[in-house]
Amino acid sequence: MKFAVFGYETNNLGDDIQSLAAALHASAVDRVVLRDAIGATEIDEPHGLILNSWMSRGPDLRPPPPNFAPITFGFCLGNDDILEHGWLDYLRAHQPIGCRDQYTVGALEAHGVAAFWTGCLTLFIGRRIERPAKPREGVLFVDVAKAAEGRVIPEELCRRAERISTYPPPAIIGDQIERYAMASRLLARVSSAELVVTRRLHIALPCISLGTPVVILAEARYGKARRRYQGFEEILPITFLDDVERLSEEQFADLATHKPIIPAALETHYASLLERLTKIDRLSAAVEPLEGPSSIERRAPNPDRAARPRDVVLSCGSLCHRARVTNWSDRQIRAEAPRFLGADRFDMTLALA
């Protein structure tokens, strides 16, 4: 069976980190499909698709069409309205549903859908990545509230912190290769940090998987945070800024030295996922190096010996990127694009624009 992963046009690269986690488990990725247009996406052949994502945003709230074979690991009921747009029957047809958070488990069970907690695939992404053997360095603040600095986070850490974000620049919102590449750089950076402070679930979970100490300072007003973190309290050192006025240095140090342990039940569900991917011939044993060349190259015959200047694009379903030409002859075109984790697994076609 062929295999698909999600693409996005959102303002959060945490979405793309979830797709990279899926791609890094696959021996091949045949298609990228827009998560928020999945109900309108028609394909000719069956494709396996891990629903490890917040479902669903955008105007089309329908579930995937029949040719997508869903693997429900990390399913998140991001929008309760989808249950009124065909999702209830869809989920009942594919139950039991592996859910990202305990809120989703409870919500589905309340509607008569069998469900269980798997956590998110990003909690295991470090098992598919080779981290460079070098000392950890630096403190990272990833989308941390400015009001937390000095009040909740010790001044000494604030003075030496590097501040980065999961918000993509507007220019790359619709360019999936650029998004995957920036998400890959985020993963590389957090993998080498001595400490990460963040409110982002899909920074915190990869940190655990990569062995990076992490402190979560969540804010209830962002993206239904309390329900998205429900269940992860037993794993992550989570503090909701809405609940505390101040933390002492000792209290913060306790959070920073917390040693997360993935529950045995989640390990069992992850092992079951690997077995399922093996059965559809889509589990890869390859481990991806975090550090590598900055670009990927693709080649294609020059159709009709077309003359330059012509634009070329890399495509894979909804993935479409204007590539940089590195060589052009009357027989062959070579072009490059930014490297991202798992890029060699993607069936990307190079063609004239």
Side-chain angles (χ1 to χ4, degrees), residues 147-153 239-248 251:
E149 298 190 20
R151 176 172 69 89
V152 176
I153 309 170
T239 297
F240 274 89
L241 294 176
D242 318 68
D243 300 337
V244 298
E245 180 61 32
R246 184 173 296 276
L247 289 179
S248 68
Q251 289 171 317

Side-chain angles (χ1 to χ4, degrees), residues 138-152:
V139 175
L140 287 184
F141 290 179
V142 186
D143 295 328
V144 172
K146 186 67 176 176
E149 298 190 20
R151 176 172 69 89
V152 176

Side-chain angles (χ1 to χ4, degrees), residues 35-103:
R35 180 195 63 186
D36 299 326
I38 190 64
T41 304
E42 297 292 341
I43 54 173
D44 296 330
E45 300 176 69
H47 282 61
L49 176 66
I50 303 177
L51 299 184
N52 61 320
S53 194
W54 166 296
M55 305 296 295
S56 173
R57 300 169 64 95
D60 190 342
L61 301 182
R62 294 175 296 166
N67 259 351
F68 286 105
I71 301 170
T72 57
F73 187 102
F75 175 84
C76 175
L77 185 61
N79 184 345
D80 294 355
D81 291 344
I82 69 172
L83 299 180
E84 300 175 9
H85 290 79
W87 276 91
L88 260 183
D89 289 340
Y90 183 82
L91 294 171
R92 286 179 179 136
H94 297 286
Q95 63 185 332
I97 305 301
C99 301
R100 193 172 84 187
D101 53 84
Q102 292 284 20
Y103 172 86

Side-chain angles (χ1 to χ4, degrees), residues 35-276:
R35 180 195 63 186
D36 299 326
I38 190 64
T41 304
E42 297 292 341
I43 54 173
D44 296 330
E45 300 176 69
H47 282 61
L49 176 66
I50 303 177
L51 299 184
N52 61 320
S53 194
W54 166 296
M55 305 296 295
S56 173
R57 300 169 64 95
D60 190 342
L61 301 182
R62 294 175 296 166
N67 259 351
F68 286 105
I71 301 170
T72 57
F73 187 102
F75 175 84
C76 175
L77 185 61
N79 184 345
D80 294 355
D81 291 344
I82 69 172
L83 299 180
E84 300 175 9
H85 290 79
W87 276 91
L88 260 183
D89 289 340
Y90 183 82
L91 294 171
R92 286 179 179 136
H94 297 286
Q95 63 185 332
I97 305 301
C99 301
R100 193 172 84 187
D101 53 84
Q102 292 284 20
Y103 172 86
T104 299
V105 172
L108 295 187
E109 288 180 339
H111 285 85
V113 179
F116 59 98
W117 184 42
T118 60
C120 180
L121 198 50
T122 59
L123 190 57
F124 302 95
I125 194 171
R127 303 184 190 187
R128 318 299 295 183
I129 291 174
E130 180 184 345
R131 181 184 169 272
K134 60 183 182 182
R136 295 186 174 277
E137 182 179 16
V139 175
L140 287 184
F141 290 179
V142 186
D143 295 328
V144 172
K146 186 67 176 176
E149 298 190 20
R151 176 172 69 89
V152 176
I153 309 170
E155 291 281 5
E156 185 271 332
L157 290 180
C158 296
R159 281 193 295 270
R160 64 189 187 94
E162 175 188 352
R163 292 157 179 83
I164 61 176
S165 178
T166 62
Y167 289 103
I172 75 164
I173 288 286
D175 188 325
Q176 192 57 67
I177 283 186
E178 292 284 3
R179 293 179 65 103
Y180 284 160
M182 187 172 177
S184 297
R185 292 192 296 271
L186 281 170
L187 287 171
R189 186 64 192 91
V190 301
S191 77
S192 64
E194 61 189 81
L195 175 67
V196 171
V197 184
T198 187
R199 65 175 173 87
R200 296 291 198 179
L201 180 63
H202 294 109
I203 292 294
L205 297 183
C207 281
I208 291 176
S209 189
L210 292 161
T212 303
V214 61
V215 173
I216 297 89
L217 300 178
E219 297 174 86
R221 65 194 177 99
Y222 283 112
K224 304 174 183 175
R226 289 194 189 273
R227 73 190 226 181
R228 287 190 300 110
Y229 274 106
Q230 193 169 322
F232 290 106
E233 303 94 338
E234 63 182 280
I235 305 174
L236 296 168
I238 303 172
T239 297
F240 274 89
L241 294 176
D242 318 68
D243 300 337
V244 298
E245 180 61 32
R246 184 173 296 276
L247 289 179
S248 68
E249 290 191 12
E250 291 77 14
Q251 289 171 317
F252 190 90
D254 286 343
L255 295 173
T257 55
H258 174 81
K259 301 295 184 186
I261 298 175
I262 299 175
L266 297 194
E267 292 281 5
T268 298
H269 295 320
Y270 177 63
S272 297
L273 171 68
L274 300 185
E275 289 178 10
R276 185 167 181 182

